[in-house]
Amino acid sequence: MVGFQEQELQEWIRYFENKNTSFCTWTGGTQSEEGVITMPYPVYDAGVQRFIAAVSGSGLMMKDYLQQLEKGDALTPEAISGLEMPRDMELLRAALTYFVRQERFCDGLWEKAIREGIFLSILYKLREAERGSRLGT
């Protein structure tokens, strides 16, 4: 399977399950004495940055992810949990690509994906698919 090996999946799952991790802080949102306003923006911890880099280099990213997402809803943890592996793998990859790529257009989207358990739901499904592929299902 393209993507992560089970050991790497387990490490990312443990990382996102850790509720004591400060995944993101916000900075900016200030006005200088000269009147220059800085819009608030997220600063992600090194783990989040490594995760995004790992996903980007994993072979899971898709060029046509927006077209794939038109085929079904996969942008909530509940919808992701309902995906059937391996049948819905393309939809799962599209959702992952969406959340990774859209941060550049919507500051804080990665934080939302972490806070709402979206990345974690995707990782659980990837683990399910990896285990299924090893078992031949």
mmCIF file with all atom_site columns, all heavy atoms in Angstrom, residues 53-66:
data_model
loop_
_atom_site.group_PDB
_atom_site.id
_atom_site.type_symbol
_atom_site.label_atom_id
_atom_site.label_alt_id
_atom_site.label_comp_id
_atom_site.label_asym_id
_atom_site.label_entity_id
_atom_site.label_seq_id
_atom_site.pdbx_PDB_ins_code
_atom_site.Cartn_x
_atom_site.Cartn_y
_atom_site.Cartn_z
_atom_site.occupancy
_atom_site.B_iso_or_equiv
_atom_site.pdbx_formal_charge
_atom_site.auth_seq_id
_atom_site.auth_comp_id
_atom_site.auth_asym_id
_atom_site.auth_atom_id
_atom_site.pdbx_PDB_model_num
ATOM 1  N N   . ALA A 1 53 ? 4.935   17.042 6.501   1.00 0.00 ? 53 ALA A N   1
ATOM 2  C CA  . ALA A 1 53 ? 6.015   16.672 5.582   1.00 0.00 ? 53 ALA A CA  1
ATOM 3  C C   . ALA A 1 53 ? 5.955   15.177 5.259   1.00 0.00 ? 53 ALA A C   1
ATOM 4  O O   . ALA A 1 53 ? 6.147   14.774 4.099   1.00 0.00 ? 53 ALA A O   1
ATOM 5  C CB  . ALA A 1 53 ? 7.371   17.042 6.175   1.00 0.00 ? 53 ALA A CB  1
ATOM 6  N N   . ALA A 1 54 ? 5.669   14.357 6.263   1.00 0.00 ? 54 ALA A N   1
ATOM 7  C CA  . ALA A 1 54 ? 5.575   12.906 6.041   1.00 0.00 ? 54 ALA A CA  1
ATOM 8  C C   . ALA A 1 54 ? 4.420   12.570 5.111   1.00 0.00 ? 54 ALA A C   1
ATOM 9  O O   . ALA A 1 54 ? 4.557   11.743 4.202   1.00 0.00 ? 54 ALA A O   1
ATOM 10 C CB  . ALA A 1 54 ? 5.427   12.180 7.381   1.00 0.00 ? 54 ALA A CB  1
ATOM 11 N N   . VAL A 1 55 ? 3.274   13.200 5.324   1.00 0.00 ? 55 VAL A N   1
ATOM 12 C CA  . VAL A 1 55 ? 2.119   12.972 4.449   1.00 0.00 ? 55 VAL A CA  1
ATOM 13 C C   . VAL A 1 55 ? 2.451   13.411 3.027   1.00 0.00 ? 55 VAL A C   1
ATOM 14 O O   . VAL A 1 55 ? 2.180   12.696 2.064   1.00 0.00 ? 55 VAL A O   1
ATOM 15 C CB  . VAL A 1 55 ? 0.864   13.719 4.964   1.00 0.00 ? 55 VAL A CB  1
ATOM 16 C CG1 . VAL A 1 55 ? -0.243  13.709 3.926   1.00 0.00 ? 55 VAL A CG1 1
ATOM 17 C CG2 . VAL A 1 55 ? 0.375   13.106 6.259   1.00 0.00 ? 55 VAL A CG2 1
ATOM 18 N N   . SER A 1 56 ? 3.071   14.583 2.907   1.00 0.00 ? 56 SER A N   1
ATOM 19 C CA  . SER A 1 56 ? 3.393   15.123 1.594   1.00 0.00 ? 56 SER A CA  1
ATOM 20 C C   . SER A 1 56 ? 4.334   14.209 0.818   1.00 0.00 ? 56 SER A C   1
ATOM 21 O O   . SER A 1 56 ? 4.253   14.140 -0.411  1.00 0.00 ? 56 SER A O   1
ATOM 22 C CB  . SER A 1 56 ? 4.005   16.520 1.723   1.00 0.00 ? 56 SER A CB  1
ATOM 23 O OG  . SER A 1 56 ? 3.061   17.412 2.297   1.00 0.00 ? 56 SER A OG  1
ATOM 24 N N   . GLY A 1 57 ? 5.202   13.501 1.516   1.00 0.00 ? 57 GLY A N   1
ATOM 25 C CA  . GLY A 1 57 ? 6.136   12.593 0.855   1.00 0.00 ? 57 GLY A CA  1
ATOM 26 C C   . GLY A 1 57 ? 5.699   11.139 0.836   1.00 0.00 ? 57 GLY A C   1
ATOM 27 O O   . GLY A 1 57 ? 6.451   10.263 0.404   1.00 0.00 ? 57 GLY A O   1
ATOM 28 N N   . SER A 1 58 ? 4.483   10.861 1.250   1.00 0.00 ? 58 SER A N   1
ATOM 29 C CA  . SER A 1 58 ? 4.039   9.475  1.435   1.00 0.00 ? 58 SER A CA  1
ATOM 30 C C   . SER A 1 58 ? 3.437   8.825  0.204   1.00 0.00 ? 58 SER A C   1
ATOM 31 O O   . SER A 1 58 ? 3.227   7.617  0.184   1.00 0.00 ? 58 SER A O   1
ATOM 32 C CB  . SER A 1 58 ? 2.987   9.419  2.550   1.00 0.00 ? 58 SER A CB  1
ATOM 33 O OG  . SER A 1 58 ? 1.783   10.053 2.105   1.00 0.00 ? 58 SER A OG  1
ATOM 34 N N   . GLY A 1 59 ? 3.101   9.603  -0.797  1.00 0.00 ? 59 GLY A N   1
ATOM 35 C CA  . GLY A 1 59 ? 2.388   9.046  -1.947  1.00 0.00 ? 59 GLY A CA  1
ATOM 36 C C   . GLY A 1 59 ? 0.886   9.036  -1.755  1.00 0.00 ? 59 GLY A C   1
ATOM 37 O O   . GLY A 1 59 ? 0.154   8.551  -2.617  1.00 0.00 ? 59 GLY A O   1
ATOM 38 N N   . LEU A 1 60 ? 0.401   9.564  -0.644  1.00 0.00 ? 60 LEU A N   1
ATOM 39 C CA  . LEU A 1 60 ? -1.039  9.601  -0.381  1.00 0.00 ? 60 LEU A CA  1
ATOM 40 C C   . LEU A 1 60 ? -1.732  10.824 -0.976  1.00 0.00 ? 60 LEU A C   1
ATOM 41 O O   . LEU A 1 60 ? -2.942  10.829 -1.142  1.00 0.00 ? 60 LEU A O   1
ATOM 42 C CB  . LEU A 1 60 ? -1.304  9.565  1.128   1.00 0.00 ? 60 LEU A CB  1
ATOM 43 C CG  . LEU A 1 60 ? -1.009  8.244  1.822   1.00 0.00 ? 60 LEU A CG  1
ATOM 44 C CD1 . LEU A 1 60 ? -1.015  8.416  3.333   1.00 0.00 ? 60 LEU A CD1 1
ATOM 45 C CD2 . LEU A 1 60 ? -2.016  7.192  1.399   1.00 0.00 ? 60 LEU A CD2 1
ATOM 46 N N   . MET A 1 61 ? -0.963  11.853 -1.279  1.00 0.00 ? 61 MET A N   1
ATOM 47 C CA  . MET A 1 61 ? -1.546  13.089 -1.798  1.00 0.00 ? 61 MET A CA  1
ATOM 48 C C   . MET A 1 61 ? -2.085  12.868 -3.209  1.00 0.00 ? 61 MET A C   1
ATOM 49 O O   . MET A 1 61 ? -1.560  12.067 -3.965  1.00 0.00 ? 61 MET A O   1
ATOM 50 C CB  . MET A 1 61 ? -0.498  14.202 -1.803  1.00 0.00 ? 61 MET A CB  1
ATOM 51 C CG  . MET A 1 61 ? 0.092   14.488 -0.429  1.00 0.00 ? 61 MET A CG  1
ATOM 52 S SD  . MET A 1 61 ? -1.037  15.291 0.679   1.00 0.00 ? 61 MET A SD  1
ATOM 53 C CE  . MET A 1 61 ? -0.887  16.952 0.094   1.00 0.00 ? 61 MET A CE  1
ATOM 54 N N   . MET A 1 62 ? -3.149  13.622 -3.546  1.00 0.00 ? 62 MET A N   1
ATOM 55 C CA  . MET A 1 62 ? -3.810  13.482 -4.846  1.00 0.00 ? 62 MET A CA  1
ATOM 56 C C   . MET A 1 62 ? -3.900  14.831 -5.547  1.00 0.00 ? 62 MET A C   1
ATOM 57 O O   . MET A 1 62 ? -4.142  15.839 -4.892  1.00 0.00 ? 62 MET A O   1
ATOM 58 C CB  . MET A 1 62 ? -5.236  12.973 -4.669  1.00 0.00 ? 62 MET A CB  1
ATOM 59 C CG  . MET A 1 62 ? -5.384  11.689 -3.942  1.00 0.00 ? 62 MET A CG  1
ATOM 60 S SD  . MET A 1 62 ? -7.135  11.283 -3.737  1.00 0.00 ? 62 MET A SD  1
ATOM 61 C CE  . MET A 1 62 ? -7.507  10.680 -5.363  1.00 0.00 ? 62 MET A CE  1
ATOM 62 N N   . LYS A 1 63 ? -3.769  14.813 -6.855  1.00 0.00 ? 63 LYS A N   1
ATOM 63 C CA  . LYS A 1 63 ? -3.951  16.046 -7.625  1.00 0.00 ? 63 LYS A CA  1
ATOM 64 C C   . LYS A 1 63 ? -5.430  16.379 -7.773  1.00 0.00 ? 63 LYS A C   1
ATOM 65 O O   . LYS A 1 63 ? -5.817  17.531 -7.707  1.00 0.00 ? 63 LYS A O   1
ATOM 66 C CB  . LYS A 1 63 ? -3.316  15.917 -9.005  1.00 0.00 ? 63 LYS A CB  1
ATOM 67 C CG  . LYS A 1 63 ? -1.811  15.914 -8.957  1.00 0.00 ? 63 LYS A CG  1
ATOM 68 C CD  . LYS A 1 63 ? -1.237  15.843 -10.346 1.00 0.00 ? 63 LYS A CD  1
ATOM 69 C CE  . LYS A 1 63 ? 0.285   15.836 -10.260 1.00 0.00 ? 63 LYS A CE  1
ATOM 70 N NZ  . LYS A 1 63 ? 0.889   15.752 -11.574 1.00 0.00 ? 63 LYS A NZ  1
ATOM 71 N N   . ASP A 1 64 ? -6.255  15.386 -7.980  1.00 0.00 ? 64 ASP A N   1
ATOM 72 C CA  . ASP A 1 64 ? -7.682  15.614 -8.250  1.00 0.00 ? 64 ASP A CA  1
ATOM 73 C C   . ASP A 1 64 ? -8.545  15.434 -6.997  1.00 0.00 ? 64 ASP A C   1
ATOM 74 O O   . ASP A 1 64 ? -9.677  14.990 -7.065  1.00 0.00 ? 64 ASP A O   1
ATOM 75 C CB  . ASP A 1 64 ? -8.162  14.685 -9.357  1.00 0.00 ? 64 ASP A CB  1
ATOM 76 C CG  . ASP A 1 64 ? -8.120  13.215 -8.968  1.00 0.00 ? 64 ASP A CG  1
ATOM 77 O OD1 . ASP A 1 64 ? -7.396  12.864 -8.009  1.00 0.00 ? 64 ASP A OD1 1
ATOM 78 O OD2 . ASP A 1 64 ? -8.804  12.416 -9.619  1.00 0.00 ? 64 ASP A OD2 1
ATOM 79 N N   . TYR A 1 65 ? -8.013  15.850 -5.855  1.00 0.00 ? 65 TYR A N   1
ATOM 80 C CA  . TYR A 1 65 ? -8.713  15.604 -4.596  1.00 0.00 ? 65 TYR A CA  1
ATOM 81 C C   . TYR A 1 65 ? -10.065 16.302 -4.517  1.00 0.00 ? 65 TYR A C   1
ATOM 82 O O   . TYR A 1 65 ? -11.001 15.757 -3.948  1.00 0.00 ? 65 TYR A O   1
ATOM 83 C CB  . TYR A 1 65 ? -7.832  15.962 -3.396  1.00 0.00 ? 65 TYR A CB  1
ATOM 84 C CG  . TYR A 1 65 ? -7.522  17.428 -3.215  1.00 0.00 ? 65 TYR A CG  1
ATOM 85 C CD1 . TYR A 1 65 ? -8.227  18.197 -2.303  1.00 0.00 ? 65 TYR A CD1 1
ATOM 86 C CD2 . TYR A 1 65 ? -6.502  18.044 -3.941  1.00 0.00 ? 65 TYR A CD2 1
ATOM 87 C CE1 . TYR A 1 65 ? -7.932  19.535 -2.124  1.00 0.00 ? 65 TYR A CE1 1
ATOM 88 C CE2 . TYR A 1 65 ? -6.204  19.385 -3.767  1.00 0.00 ? 65 TYR A CE2 1
ATOM 89 C CZ  . TYR A 1 65 ? -6.918  20.125 -2.858  1.00 0.00 ? 65 TYR A CZ  1
ATOM 90 O OH  . TYR A 1 65 ? -6.623  21.449 -2.675  1.00 0.00 ? 65 TYR A OH  1
ATOM 91 N N   . LEU A 1 66 ? -10.184 17.488 -5.109  1.00 0.00 ? 66 LEU A N   1
ATOM 92 C CA  . LEU A 1 66 ? -11.478 18.186 -5.043  1.00 0.00 ? 66 LEU A CA  1
ATOM 93 C C   . LEU A 1 66 ? -12.548 17.440 -5.840  1.00 0.00 ? 66 LEU A C   1
ATOM 94 O O   . LEU A 1 66 ? -13.696 17.334 -5.405  1.00 0.00 ? 66 LEU A O   1
ATOM 95 C CB  . LEU A 1 66 ? -11.337 19.631 -5.528  1.00 0.00 ? 66 LEU A CB  1
ATOM 96 C CG  . LEU A 1 66 ? -10.489 20.534 -4.621  1.00 0.00 ? 66 LEU A CG  1
ATOM 97 C CD1 . LEU A 1 66 ? -10.289 21.905 -5.254  1.00 0.00 ? 66 LEU A CD1 1
ATOM 98 C CD2 . LEU A 1 66 ? -11.096 20.657 -3.241  1.00 0.00 ? 66 LEU A CD2 1
#
